[in-house]
Amino acid sequence: NAGVMQNPRHLVRRRGQEARLRCSPMKGHSHVYWYRQLPEEGLKFMVYLQKENIIDESGMPKERFSAEFPKEGPSILRIQQVVRGDSAAYFCASSPSISNQPQHFGDGTRLSIL
Amino acid sequence: EDQVTQSPEALRLQEGESSSLNCSYTVSGLRGLFWYRQDPGKGPEFLFTLYSAGEEKEKERLKATLTKKESFLHITAPKPEDSATYLCAVQDHTDKLIFGTGTRLQVFP
């Protein structure tokens, strides 16, 4: 299966700990997007990355959140000092370099904060 | 501000009972309108892309249409396996997707 792979599928952290979410895009895709889905709310854009570059981080909180997409390896969304409000499903999507192409999503990481 | 509104929030249909889902949008610099299907515990699954008013796309029992202000997802003779949440999203000039909150469809046998 050459789809978007996210891990872990479920992650439990205590308040104040760090959470690291990983995303491997579809083969041949060089653009990665992260979205957050809160209960009963729609998917909200967080950040858009290409290899080694952050293109748009306008949806990502300025503090505690960071994202990277290194030359080798998966994209990482990192949340430091997690709080209860960070509990959500985090989805990664990827697309090819050609504009207007659909973004394909992984099955998400469900983050729970105790 | 870019915005997507979907209606109804929830829809219950009898198997074979055709209906339509609505997606109204306002966006600066529309690059495309996308329909996705999302099953519980899964990520959105891509269905259609529409790029310009008047365009239509079909796949099995689903047909998507687009005007300058809204899109419709028509479901013809639905089956229980069509039960899911259907998401509409617009892509703006920055390439990010702006999603509606979805229509939760239940089809009963």
Side-chain angles (χ1 to χ4, degrees):
Chain A
N1 187 342
V4 177
M5 302 301 294
Q6 290 189 249
N7 66 81
R9 290 296 313 279
H10 301 274
L11 182 61
V12 180
R13 285 287 177 265
R14 295 189 181 280
R15 280 178 294 172
Q17 291 184 320
E18 178 180 291
R20 281 188 180 232
L21 288 61
R22 288 177 289 278
C23 169
S24 296
M26 283 181 72
K27 189 175 181 181
H29 286 189
S30 58
H31 295 200
V32 166
Y33 309 80
W34 286 92
Y35 294 83
R36 178 164 63 176
Q37 188 173 40
L38 293 167
E40 305 304 321
E41 292 189 19
L43 286 146
K44 302 290 186 191
F45 168 79
M46 297 181 74
V47 61
Y48 165 28
L49 310 105
Q50 295 177 19
K51 284 284 188 182
E52 300 185 279
N53 284 305
I54 295 175
I55 307 302
D56 181 353
E57 55 183 349
S58 60
M60 197 158 67
K62 295 279 189 286
E63 297 180 358
R64 302 188 298 109
F65 285 73
S66 63
E68 62 177 11
F69 189 15
K71 188 177 180 182
E72 301 290 339
S75 175
I76 306 285
L77 179 67
R78 182 184 178 201
I79 311 172
Q80 295 179 288
Q81 299 175 322
V82 295
V83 300
R84 288 258 169 88
D86 296 332
S87 295
Y90 292 82
F91 290 95
C92 169
S94 71
S95 70
S97 58
I98 303 170
S99 188
N100 297 357
Q101 293 302 301
Q103 296 176 20
H104 293 271
F105 284 78
D107 283 336
T109 294
R110 275 138 190 91
L111 176 63
S112 298
I113 309 302
L114 301 178
Chain B
E1 183 184 336
D2 298 342
Q3 194 167 1
V4 177
T5 303
Q6 291 188 246
S7 63
E9 287 186 13
L11 183 62
R12 291 164 58 99
L13 297 174
Q14 204 71 32
E15 184 173 2
E17 179 187 2
S18 302
S19 188
S20 296
L21 282 56
N22 177 262
C23 170
S24 299
Y25 65 91
T26 53
V27 63
S28 55
L30 178 71
R31 285 205 169 164
L33 184 140
F34 300 83
W35 282 98
Y36 288 86
R37 167 191 172 130
Q38 187 174 25
D39 292 292
K42 298 285 191 179
E45 175 189 345
F46 170 71
L47 293 174
F48 302 110
T49 309
L50 301 165
Y51 293 109
S52 57
E55 190 175 358
E56 298 182 353
K57 293 271 179 76
E58 276 189 77
K59 179 181 178 181
E60 296 181 356
R61 295 177 292 281
L62 301 177
K63 179 180 175 180
T65 61
L66 181 65
T67 71
K68 287 186 177 180
K69 293 184 178 181
E70 58 189 352
S71 176
F72 290 93
L73 184 66
H74 306 279
I75 303 177
T76 302
K79 297 182 178 181
E81 53 261 42
D82 294 322
S83 298
T85 296
Y86 290 84
L87 301 172
C88 171
V90 295
Q91 186 178 42
D92 68 7
H93 64 284
T94 66
D95 280 343
K96 66 175 179 279
L97 293 177
I98 298 112
F99 280 88
T101 51
T103 293
R104 196 165 53 253
L105 174 66
Q106 290 179 296
V107 182
F108 294 91

